[in-house]
């Protein structure tokens, strides 16, 4: 799952980025509105974490959140801000935010809110998906093969989740590297983790096709 983080404070940005990566999420950390707009178009993020107050605009996070909603973005948005007034919280949610966290905050609470947002998103789509002998509980982050649970690492599950949430789509190795590792150059790592998944799932469920990889058993 790829997270787009907009945060101009270096100390907080590094902490949030590190915490998300430790949980297996891919992260693109941006520090200004233009950089965030470019990353949004490149990434198709699964979650956006937006600082509200930015150097170029005291309401920049709110404006960017509203902007992507008007552009059709359906993923969850979490606003981060030191502004804790009732009118600010209401405004953030009315502009398209799904959650609102006031600074300073504990990273444990932040991560719990991220998990809750992803859980609600997964439940809205489908909490359990089946593909042949494979069953995946997206909300519980559990995978079963012929009824037996398969233990996947965070990165292995993140890679499988990308395919499950975009059935039929062909992903290039670079696109997968960006989504899973937050670095389009980590193509070698993508190939390694696809090999691991195929071994653990006893299946070629992730197929190599012209242009990259896609999910499915059919040729």
């Amino acid at each position: 799952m790829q997270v787009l983080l907009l945060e101009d404070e270096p100390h907080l940005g590094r902490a949030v980025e590190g915490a998300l990566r430790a949980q297996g999420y891919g992260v693109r950390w941006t520090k200004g509105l233009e950089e965030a707009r470019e990353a949004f178009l490149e990434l198709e993020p699964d979650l956006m974490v937006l600082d509200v107050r930015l150097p170029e605009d005291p309401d920049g996070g709110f404006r960017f959140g509203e902007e992507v909603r008007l552009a059709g973005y359906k993923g969850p948005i979490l606003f981060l801000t030191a502004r804790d007034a009732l009118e600010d919280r209401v405004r953030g949610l009315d502009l398209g935010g799904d959650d609102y966290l006031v600074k300073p905050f504990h990273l444990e609470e932040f991560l719990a809110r991220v998990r809750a947002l992803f859980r609600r998103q997964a439940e809205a789509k489908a909490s359990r998906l089946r593909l042949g002998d494979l069953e995946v509980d997206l909300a519980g982050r559990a995978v079963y093969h012929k009824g037996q649970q398969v233990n996947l690492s965070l990165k292995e599950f993140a890679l499988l989740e990308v395919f499950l949430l975009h059935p039929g789509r062909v992903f290039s190795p670079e696109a997968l590297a960006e989504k899973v590792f937050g670095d389009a150059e980590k193509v070698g790592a993508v190939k390694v983790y696809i090999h691991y998944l195929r071994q653990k799932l006893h299946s070629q469920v992730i197929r190599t096709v012209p242009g990259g990889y896609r999910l499915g058993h059919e040729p």
Side-chain angles (χ1 to χ4, degrees), residues 79-142:
F79 286 118
L80 300 178
T81 178
R83 290 153 53 173
D84 62 354
L86 174 61
E87 57 265 33
D88 288 320
R89 299 198 300 272
V90 170
R91 183 182 177 197
L93 296 173
D94 282 347
L95 287 175
D98 296 278
D99 200 356
Y100 190 105
L101 186 58
V102 176
K103 302 177 183 177
F105 54 84
H106 291 286
L107 285 173
E108 290 82 359
E109 181 183 0
F110 166 75
L111 290 173
R113 289 174 183 254
V114 167
R115 288 193 294 271
L117 289 170
F118 274 132
R119 188 164 56 245
R120 288 202 291 271
Q121 184 186 38
E123 288 170 353
K125 292 180 178 178
S127 64
R128 284 206 173 216
L129 300 175
R130 287 183 181 276
L131 187 70
D133 294 331
L134 187 67
E135 183 176 4
V136 181
D137 181 352
L138 287 172
R141 303 192 111 191

Side-chain angles (χ1 to χ4, degrees), residues 5-188:
L5 168 64
L6 173 58
E7 173 57 66
D8 68 294
E9 296 179 30
H11 177 72
L12 181 58
R14 277 194 295 273
V16 170
E17 181 190 36
L20 288 168
R21 288 193 185 283
Q23 296 295 306
Y25 302 116
V27 185
R28 177 74 70 86
W29 175 19
T30 62
K31 304 173 183 66
L33 281 173
E34 286 309 310
E35 187 183 358
R37 289 188 178 103
E38 290 176 7
F40 173 76
L41 294 174
E42 291 174 7
L43 288 183
E44 300 179 31
D46 302 291
L47 167 71
M48 300 180 70
V49 179
L50 306 179
D51 182 18
V52 171
R53 186 177 182 84
L54 300 169
E56 66 265 49
D57 186 339
D59 286 338
F62 281 159
R63 296 189 200 287
F64 186 49
E66 182 180 30
E67 182 180 314
V68 297
R69 285 294 187 223
L70 291 173
Y73 178 67
K74 303 294 186 186
I77 295 175
L78 169 59
F79 286 118
L80 300 178
T81 178
R83 290 153 53 173
D84 62 354
L86 174 61
E87 57 265 33
D88 288 320
R89 299 198 300 272
V90 170
R91 183 182 177 197
L93 296 173
D94 282 347
L95 287 175
D98 296 278
D99 200 356
Y100 190 105
L101 186 58
V102 176
K103 302 177 183 177
F105 54 84
H106 291 286
L107 285 173
E108 290 82 359
E109 181 183 0
F110 166 75
L111 290 173
R113 289 174 183 254
V114 167
R115 288 193 294 271
L117 289 170
F118 274 132
R119 188 164 56 245
R120 288 202 291 271
Q121 184 186 38
E123 288 170 353
K125 292 180 178 178
S127 64
R128 284 206 173 216
L129 300 175
R130 287 183 181 276
L131 187 70
D133 294 331
L134 187 67
E135 183 176 4
V136 181
D137 181 352
L138 287 172
R141 303 192 111 191
V143 178
Y144 304 87
H145 179 256
K146 293 185 176 179
Q148 299 297 312
Q149 186 163 0
V150 181
N151 293 319
L152 299 184
S153 70
L154 290 172
K155 289 300 182 189
E156 289 164 354
F157 188 88
L159 181 59
L160 180 61
E161 192 174 42
V162 170
F163 286 104
L164 289 167
L165 293 177
H166 303 86
R169 177 171 168 179
V170 175
F171 284 95
S172 68
E174 292 79 9
L176 290 172
E178 181 68 60
K179 278 193 167 290
V180 176
F181 299 99
D183 184 347
E185 294 186 357
K186 290 192 172 180
V187 170

